[in-house]
PDB file of all heavy atoms in Angstrom:
ATOM      1  N   ARG K  14      -1.413  17.331  -7.300  1.00 78.00           N
ATOM      2  CA  ARG K  14      -1.696  18.697  -7.723  1.00 78.00           C
ATOM      3  C   ARG K  14      -3.134  18.967  -7.542  1.00 78.00           C
ATOM      4  O   ARG K  14      -3.519  20.132  -7.495  1.00 78.00           O
ATOM      5  CB  ARG K  14      -1.164  18.905  -9.158  1.00 78.00           C
ATOM      6  CG  ARG K  14       0.301  19.211  -9.171  1.00 78.00           C
ATOM      7  CD  ARG K  14       0.753  19.495 -10.566  1.00 78.00           C
ATOM      8  NE  ARG K  14      -0.081  20.320 -11.346  1.00 78.00           N
ATOM      9  CZ  ARG K  14      -0.139  20.238 -12.659  1.00 78.00           C
ATOM     10  NH1 ARG K  14       0.542  19.418 -13.357  1.00 78.00           N
ATOM     11  NH2 ARG K  14      -0.972  21.011 -13.422  1.00 78.00           N
ATOM     12  N   ARG K  15      -3.939  17.968  -7.633  1.00 81.00           N
ATOM     13  CA  ARG K  15      -5.301  18.176  -7.442  1.00 81.00           C
ATOM     14  C   ARG K  15      -5.760  18.737  -6.075  1.00 81.00           C
ATOM     15  O   ARG K  15      -6.756  19.214  -5.902  1.00 81.00           O
ATOM     16  CB  ARG K  15      -6.094  16.847  -7.817  1.00 81.00           C
ATOM     17  CG  ARG K  15      -5.876  16.397  -9.147  1.00 81.00           C
ATOM     18  CD  ARG K  15      -6.705  15.260  -9.574  1.00 81.00           C
ATOM     19  NE  ARG K  15      -6.239  14.993 -10.948  1.00 81.00           N
ATOM     20  CZ  ARG K  15      -6.778  14.017 -11.718  1.00 81.00           C
ATOM     21  NH1 ARG K  15      -7.725  13.313 -11.114  1.00 81.00           N
ATOM     22  NH2 ARG K  15      -6.299  13.752 -12.877  1.00 81.00           N
ATOM     23  N   TYR K  16      -4.826  18.460  -5.141  1.00 86.00           N
ATOM     24  CA  TYR K  16      -5.080  18.966  -3.771  1.00 86.00           C
ATOM     25  C   TYR K  16      -4.649  20.347  -3.507  1.00 86.00           C
ATOM     26  O   TYR K  16      -4.734  20.903  -2.519  1.00 86.00           O
ATOM     27  CB  TYR K  16      -4.339  17.969  -2.781  1.00 86.00           C
ATOM     28  CG  TYR K  16      -4.868  16.575  -2.705  1.00 86.00           C
ATOM     29  CD1 TYR K  16      -4.060  15.466  -2.828  1.00 86.00           C
ATOM     30  CD2 TYR K  16      -6.272  16.380  -2.568  1.00 86.00           C
ATOM     31  CE1 TYR K  16      -4.540  14.192  -2.762  1.00 86.00           C
ATOM     32  CE2 TYR K  16      -6.722  15.090  -2.514  1.00 86.00           C
ATOM     33  CZ  TYR K  16      -5.921  14.026  -2.596  1.00 86.00           C
ATOM     34  OH  TYR K  16      -6.408  12.742  -2.440  1.00 86.00           O
ATOM     35  N   ALA K  17      -4.178  20.990  -4.634  1.00 85.00           N
ATOM     36  CA  ALA K  17      -3.520  22.371  -4.398  1.00 85.00           C
ATOM     37  C   ALA K  17      -4.602  23.257  -3.732  1.00 85.00           C
ATOM     38  O   ALA K  17      -4.220  23.939  -2.769  1.00 85.00           O
ATOM     39  CB  ALA K  17      -3.116  22.862  -5.724  1.00 85.00           C
ATOM     40  N   ALA K  18      -5.821  23.288  -4.257  1.00 84.00           N
ATOM     41  CA  ALA K  18      -6.714  24.266  -3.756  1.00 84.00           C
ATOM     42  C   ALA K  18      -7.013  24.018  -2.334  1.00 84.00           C
ATOM     43  O   ALA K  18      -7.059  24.936  -1.451  1.00 84.00           O
ATOM     44  CB  ALA K  18      -8.015  24.320  -4.590  1.00 84.00           C
ATOM     45  N   ALA K  19      -7.245  22.747  -2.058  1.00 88.00           N
ATOM     46  CA  ALA K  19      -7.511  22.253  -0.598  1.00 88.00           C
ATOM     47  C   ALA K  19      -6.423  22.764   0.281  1.00 88.00           C
ATOM     48  O   ALA K  19      -6.541  23.291   1.311  1.00 88.00           O
ATOM     49  CB  ALA K  19      -7.844  20.843  -0.491  1.00 88.00           C
ATOM     50  N   GLY K  20      -5.143  22.529  -0.227  1.00 91.00           N
ATOM     51  CA  GLY K  20      -3.956  22.897   0.419  1.00 91.00           C
ATOM     52  C   GLY K  20      -3.896  24.454   0.688  1.00 91.00           C
ATOM     53  O   GLY K  20      -3.696  24.874   1.880  1.00 91.00           O
ATOM     54  N   ILE K  21      -4.252  25.189  -0.336  1.00 90.00           N
ATOM     55  CA  ILE K  21      -4.275  26.665  -0.024  1.00 90.00           C
ATOM     56  C   ILE K  21      -5.277  27.021   0.900  1.00 90.00           C
ATOM     57  O   ILE K  21      -4.958  27.899   1.797  1.00 90.00           O
ATOM     58  CB  ILE K  21      -4.571  27.348  -1.423  1.00 90.00           C
ATOM     59  CG1 ILE K  21      -3.395  27.143  -2.407  1.00 90.00           C
ATOM     60  CG2 ILE K  21      -4.814  28.874  -1.191  1.00 90.00           C
ATOM     61  CD1 ILE K  21      -3.700  27.656  -3.774  1.00 90.00           C
ATOM     62  N   ALA K  22      -6.415  26.430   0.888  1.00 90.00           N
ATOM     63  CA  ALA K  22      -7.476  26.708   1.828  1.00 90.00           C
ATOM     64  C   ALA K  22      -7.033  26.458   3.298  1.00 90.00           C
ATOM     65  O   ALA K  22      -7.218  27.255   4.174  1.00 90.00           O
ATOM     66  CB  ALA K  22      -8.803  25.861   1.586  1.00 90.00           C
ATOM     67  N   VAL K  23      -6.339  25.313   3.486  1.00 93.00           N
ATOM     68  CA  VAL K  23      -5.853  25.021   4.755  1.00 93.00           C
ATOM     69  C   VAL K  23      -4.767  26.012   5.257  1.00 93.00           C
ATOM     70  O   VAL K  23      -4.699  26.527   6.392  1.00 93.00           O
ATOM     71  CB  VAL K  23      -5.373  23.582   4.928  1.00 93.00           C
ATOM     72  CG1 VAL K  23      -4.772  23.279   6.304  1.00 93.00           C
ATOM     73  CG2 VAL K  23      -6.502  22.573   4.618  1.00 93.00           C
ATOM     74  N   VAL K 269     -14.071  23.195   1.623  1.00 88.00           N
ATOM     75  CA  VAL K 269     -13.320  23.125   0.365  1.00 88.00           C
ATOM     76  C   VAL K 269     -12.507  21.792   0.450  1.00 88.00           C
ATOM     77  O   VAL K 269     -12.421  21.102  -0.590  1.00 88.00           O
ATOM     78  CB  VAL K 269     -12.310  24.303   0.320  1.00 88.00           C
ATOM     79  CG1 VAL K 269     -11.335  24.136  -0.936  1.00 88.00           C
ATOM     80  CG2 VAL K 269     -13.163  25.607   0.130  1.00 88.00           C
ATOM     81  N   THR K 273     -12.983  18.715  -2.317  1.00 86.00           N
ATOM     82  CA  THR K 273     -11.776  18.272  -3.061  1.00 86.00           C
ATOM     83  C   THR K 273     -11.663  16.748  -2.880  1.00 86.00           C
ATOM     84  O   THR K 273     -11.441  16.140  -3.992  1.00 86.00           O
ATOM     85  CB  THR K 273     -10.534  18.973  -2.454  1.00 86.00           C
ATOM     86  OG1 THR K 273     -10.674  20.341  -2.541  1.00 86.00           O
ATOM     87  CG2 THR K 273      -9.278  18.608  -3.424  1.00 86.00           C
ATOM     88  N   ILE K 695     -11.376  32.008   0.235  1.00 87.00           N
ATOM     89  CA  ILE K 695     -11.183  30.595   0.331  1.00 87.00           C
ATOM     90  C   ILE K 695     -12.225  29.926  -0.490  1.00 87.00           C
ATOM     91  O   ILE K 695     -12.085  28.947  -1.232  1.00 87.00           O
ATOM     92  CB  ILE K 695     -11.104  30.115   1.738  1.00 87.00           C
ATOM     93  CG1 ILE K 695      -9.920  30.734   2.552  1.00 87.00           C
ATOM     94  CG2 ILE K 695     -11.044  28.580   1.792  1.00 87.00           C
ATOM     95  CD1 ILE K 695      -9.883  30.397   3.960  1.00 87.00           C
ATOM     96  N   ILE K 698     -11.894  30.038  -4.173  1.00 85.00           N
ATOM     97  CA  ILE K 698     -10.797  29.109  -4.604  1.00 85.00           C
ATOM     98  C   ILE K 698     -11.504  27.757  -4.745  1.00 85.00           C
ATOM     99  O   ILE K 698     -11.251  26.963  -5.613  1.00 85.00           O
ATOM    100  CB  ILE K 698      -9.700  29.079  -3.509  1.00 85.00           C
ATOM    101  CG1 ILE K 698      -8.903  30.372  -3.614  1.00 85.00           C
ATOM    102  CG2 ILE K 698      -8.764  27.904  -3.816  1.00 85.00           C
ATOM    103  CD1 ILE K 698      -7.793  30.464  -2.512  1.00 85.00           C
ATOM    104  N   GLY K 699     -12.393  27.493  -3.660  1.00 85.00           N
ATOM    105  CA  GLY K 699     -13.060  26.143  -3.682  1.00 85.00           C
ATOM    106  C   GLY K 699     -13.904  25.964  -4.915  1.00 85.00           C
ATOM    107  O   GLY K 699     -13.954  24.853  -5.500  1.00 85.00           O
ATOM    108  N   GLY K 701     -13.518  27.338  -7.997  1.00 82.00           N
ATOM    109  CA  GLY K 701     -12.604  27.201  -9.073  1.00 82.00           C
ATOM    110  C   GLY K 701     -12.115  25.714  -9.046  1.00 82.00           C
ATOM    111  O   GLY K 701     -12.043  25.038 -10.010  1.00 82.00           O
ATOM    112  N   ASN K 702     -11.848  25.282  -7.847  1.00 82.00           N
ATOM    113  CA  ASN K 702     -11.281  23.903  -7.599  1.00 82.00           C
ATOM    114  C   ASN K 702     -12.294  22.822  -8.059  1.00 82.00           C
ATOM    115  O   ASN K 702     -11.933  21.896  -8.774  1.00 82.00           O
ATOM    116  CB  ASN K 702     -10.894  23.850  -6.169  1.00 82.00           C
ATOM    117  CG  ASN K 702     -10.415  22.398  -5.796  1.00 82.00           C
ATOM    118  OD1 ASN K 702      -9.451  22.028  -6.465  1.00 82.00           O
ATOM    119  ND2 ASN K 702     -10.898  21.902  -4.734  1.00 82.00           N
ATOM    120  N   THR K 703     -13.533  22.986  -7.568  1.00 81.00           N
ATOM    121  CA  THR K 703     -14.498  22.015  -7.886  1.00 81.00           C
ATOM    122  C   THR K 703     -14.693  21.906  -9.384  1.00 81.00           C
ATOM    123  O   THR K 703     -14.762  20.860  -9.887  1.00 81.00           O
ATOM    124  CB  THR K 703     -15.816  22.356  -7.221  1.00 81.00           C
ATOM    125  OG1 THR K 703     -15.603  22.404  -5.847  1.00 81.00           O
ATOM    126  CG2 THR K 703     -16.900  21.315  -7.568  1.00 81.00           C
TER     127      THR K 703
END
Side-chain angles (χ1 to χ4, degrees):
Chain K
R14 278 181 44 208
R15 301 188 180 180
Y16 293 130
I21 291 173
V23 174
V269 173
T273 305
I695 296 176
I698 292 175
N702 179 48
T703 300

